[in-house]
Amino acid sequence: TQLLEQSPQFLSIQEGENLTVYCNSSSVFSSLQWYRQEPGEGPVLLVTVVTGGEVKKLKRLTFQFGDARKDSSLHITAAQPGDTGLYLCAGASDDKIIFGKGTRLHILP
Amino acid sequence: DSGVTQTPKHLITATGQRVTLRCSPRSGDLSVYWYQQSLDQGLQFLIQYYNGEERAKGNILERFSAQQFPDLHSELNLSSLELGDSALYFCASSVRDFSYIQYFGAGTRLSVL
């Protein structure tokens, strides 16, 4: 059974601090996606990474796909209250997509 | 706004009942995906349709069924409901068959009492 483990489960930090959240698996994925979900809304796609070692930047967010395509990280620089939400990673392979349970991030003003 | 419309937004029903959740994909999208999200299990893929045909199945119970109609909207039918079926149900759509780039609706919150 493929599993995606996200850590930490919860993270509460002050505005302006940096943070990194992780998404790990023992399985290889053809691609990995990061989503952000806010209360009462569906997940919104932030980025897709497909190549081992790939790094993508989206303003203050930096996404990295592991060399072996089994893990990924999301780094946020100078976190802002608007970054608050549930961050989900999803791994795709063959005809399956599996989601991690997410990291619930709360940025304190 | 993702362009994916789900109705109803909230649904409260009793155990043993049957409900139908509806999803209209983004204009031009041919694929529809259904997911269940609960606190303990996270987001679980249920089933995918592409242009009216079932294409992939995930952890969907036999009590659950879905279909995609010629106008591309989709319905998820949940029957013999149990307390444990209480969850958020999301629909997502994409242009291509089984794409990892999916656009999610706002979900239907189902409460089984």
Side-chain angles (χ1 to χ4, degrees):
Chain A
T1 304
Q2 292 180 309
L3 287 173
L4 270 174
E5 301 283 344
Q6 288 192 246
S7 60
Q9 279 186 283
F10 303 95
L11 186 57
S12 182
I13 64 170
Q14 292 289 335
E15 181 177 2
E17 293 184 0
N18 301 332
L19 67 106
T20 302
V21 298
Y22 301 92
C23 175
N24 295 297
S25 176
S26 58
S27 302
V28 176
F29 295 103
S30 57
S31 68
L32 195 136
Q33 291 73 50
W34 284 93
Y35 289 82
R36 181 169 69 213
Q37 185 179 11
E38 298 186 29
E41 302 292 331
V44 175
L45 181 65
L46 297 175
V47 78
T48 295
V49 285
V50 296
T51 306
E54 183 176 0
V55 176
K56 278 192 174 178
K57 289 194 174 184
L58 188 66
K59 296 182 181 177
R60 295 176 294 100
L61 277 60
T62 302
F63 305 86
Q64 184 160 10
F65 202 11
D67 290 340
R69 290 185 289 132
K70 293 182 180 181
D71 53 79
S72 181
S73 63
L74 158 58
H75 181 79
I76 301 179
T77 303
Q80 298 177 2
D83 296 327
T84 292
L86 178 67
Y87 288 81
L88 297 165
C89 66
S93 64
D94 300 323
D95 288 341
K96 292 180 184 174
I97 290 181
I98 63 167
F99 280 78
K101 293 186 180 180
T103 292
R104 196 165 293 279
L105 178 62
H106 186 56
I107 309 301
L108 303 166
Chain B
D1 183 2
S2 66
V4 178
T5 303
Q6 287 189 247
T7 57
K9 198 160 178 64
H10 302 279
L11 198 49
I12 301 174
T13 189
T15 54
Q17 296 297 306
R18 173 189 168 97
V19 296
T20 298
L21 312 184
R22 183 188 168 100
C23 170
S24 293
R26 290 189 324 155
S27 177
D29 283 1
L30 299 178
S31 268
V32 169
Y33 312 77
W34 285 99
Y35 293 88
Q36 179 192 59
Q37 187 177 43
S38 60
L39 282 175
D40 56 341
Q41 293 293 323
L43 199 62
Q44 300 277 314
F45 168 66
L46 296 178
I47 197 165
Q48 179 224 346
Y49 282 81
Y50 176 76
N51 205 20
E53 289 189 14
E54 180 185 308
R55 300 292 285 172
K57 249 183 175 176
N59 301 321
I60 188 165
L61 299 172
E62 285 192 10
R63 300 183 285 109
F64 296 0
S65 64
Q67 53 184 328
Q68 186 180 29
F69 294 88
D71 68 352
L72 301 177
H73 91 271
S74 179
E75 292 181 356
L76 178 66
N77 300 296
L78 314 176
S79 61
S80 302
L81 284 168
E82 302 175 359
L83 295 177
D85 297 327
S86 295
L88 276 165
Y89 291 85
F90 287 102
C91 165
S93 72
S94 67
V95 174
R96 296 182 304 153
D97 186 8
F98 200 79
S99 170
Y100 45 73
I101 299 176
Q102 300 179 15
Y103 298 88
F104 282 77
T108 293
R109 182 175 293 278
L110 174 67
S111 297
V112 182
L113 305 179

